[in-house]
Amino acid sequence: MTETTKKRKHRRPRVWESLAVLVFLIAMLAIGIIVYGVDPHVPMLLGVLAAGIMAKILGYSWKSIEHFMIRGITKAMQSIIILVIIGVLIGVWLNAGVVPAMIYYGLHILKPSIFFVATVLICSITALATGTSWGTMGTMGVALMGIGFGLGMDPAMTAGAIISGAYFGDKMSPLSDTTNLAPAMAGTDIMSHIRFMILPTSIVYVLTLIFFGVLGVVKSTGGSADLSQVVSLQEALRSMFNINPVLLLPPVIVIVAVALKVPAIPGITLGILSGAVIGLIFQDNCTVGTLFECGMNGFSCETGIYEIDRLLNSGGLMNMTFSISMTIIAMMFGGIMEETHQLEVVVNKLKTLIKSPAGLVTLTEATSVVSNAVMPEQYISIVVPGRMYAEEYNRMELSPTTLSNALESSGTVTSALIPWNTCGVFITSTLGISAIQYGPWAVFNWLMPLACIVMAVLGVTIADKEGVRLIKKKKAVQE
């Protein structure tokens, strides 16, 4: 039988068949995450199984289905390589004292008269340095909640400032797993993704700082702050590392690499090499052997101070396997759904609502928010919409950074606002404030998706295949 004859046996899925696979995936994720509190990997793998069974029903051979999965994984190989390198970078930067130095100097920003703004800035710097909003909230966040209490600040407002800063840093950090996952799903690289996010995210961040600046003036009690927790954190960092401003050079090198449009892999590698050299110069406990060990298994310390241990015991290639395996499984699912047109028929139904690129961005963000609510896991709110709409962005001849930005501006940040989402549950248990209480004050998190939609209409968050924003095209036409 010829290949042509085989292809004729394949049929397009019906809408209800595709929806059945998606509903099954949602059900497995909901049961696994909500009922049993497990990680999303195995439930997602069951979704791959369901997609494969449906592919067989549609007439595809196992050999073809296997090829679809492999082709899906191949699309994310660059991001997987970057995740491996970033795991090494975090471990090296921790051992070299780069991350501790960023945290140490970030704590110097704290001033009682500008508590809320300082809180946003400190959490932003920490999350940028570590790539984790959870680690930031579980360490700096806990300390800042205590300081806020000493100042007489509303705990819900303090939590809102902590969350806003932590998610800004997480969203913009090349070390963040979600910042790597979003471009992987969209089909772009992390450096292009971050560069595209800088403008819209900076606008929202400035608005957030203005809001908390005004709020701090209005709510300031004029009391003196209990900065003992901050001092203890700084003293612990100084006792472990030789803190020096030169240690801030590696992140500056990475930032400059982003600005100069250096490709992601060599740009991050420059950060690793510069961090290693500076660590060998300044840190007594940093050797070539410890750099190799921390690059592989991450940095480990036991200071006796819970906040420090929790924040610094991180990094390493092996600690990135969670995100790497999630990316692989997600792309297996996406590969089958795309190649067998199961996503296409659903998107075709939804795209009847779409009249413009701005409408596509709005639909993407709405899908991500709904995913955060019904599949309460931050990763899934990026994976599923990302694979659903990637082809539609391509059909409209839009840059994949338009999609990756929409995913990050909705899926990543709104996860904290859903009480039953894993992020919402973590924040409530860590900071002791419910999502209903802190939600209105997590300004960055709810303003980011709304602003992204408005900026999509204006052409700020939409770019063509060449990466030119539509707002620039509009100005060129007017001139």
Side-chain angles (χ1 to χ4, degrees), residues 134-135 137-139 142 305-314 426 430:
W134 283 30
M137 291 183 289
T139 53
V142 172
I305 301 176
Y306 174 75
E307 290 81 6
I308 290 292
D309 292 344
R310 181 171 180 175
L311 189 60
L312 299 185
N313 287 320
S314 180
F426 171 82
T430 302

Side-chain angles (χ1 to χ4, degrees), residues 229-293:
Q229 295 183 70
V230 173
V231 173
S232 66
L233 289 175
Q234 288 181 311
E235 289 178 348
L237 290 172
R238 287 199 71 89
S239 68
M240 294 175 60
F241 301 94
N242 295 319
I243 303 295
N244 189 299
V246 180
L247 294 171
L248 301 177
L249 184 59
V252 171
I253 290 173
V254 174
I255 292 170
V256 171
V258 172
L260 296 178
K261 299 185 178 181
V262 174
I265 293 174
I268 297 171
T269 303
L270 284 174
I272 295 175
L273 296 175
S274 60
V277 171
I278 290 175
L280 290 171
I281 294 172
F282 287 99
Q283 305 304 332
D284 298 331
N285 296 322
C286 181
T287 66
V288 173
T290 60
L291 289 171
F292 284 157
E293 174 63 23

Side-chain angles (χ1 to χ4, degrees), residues 90-109:
I90 296 172
V92 168
W93 276 15
L94 284 166
N95 185 216
V98 175
V99 172
M102 294 177 73
I103 296 171
Y104 178 86
Y105 289 114
L107 288 172
H108 275 294
I109 299 173

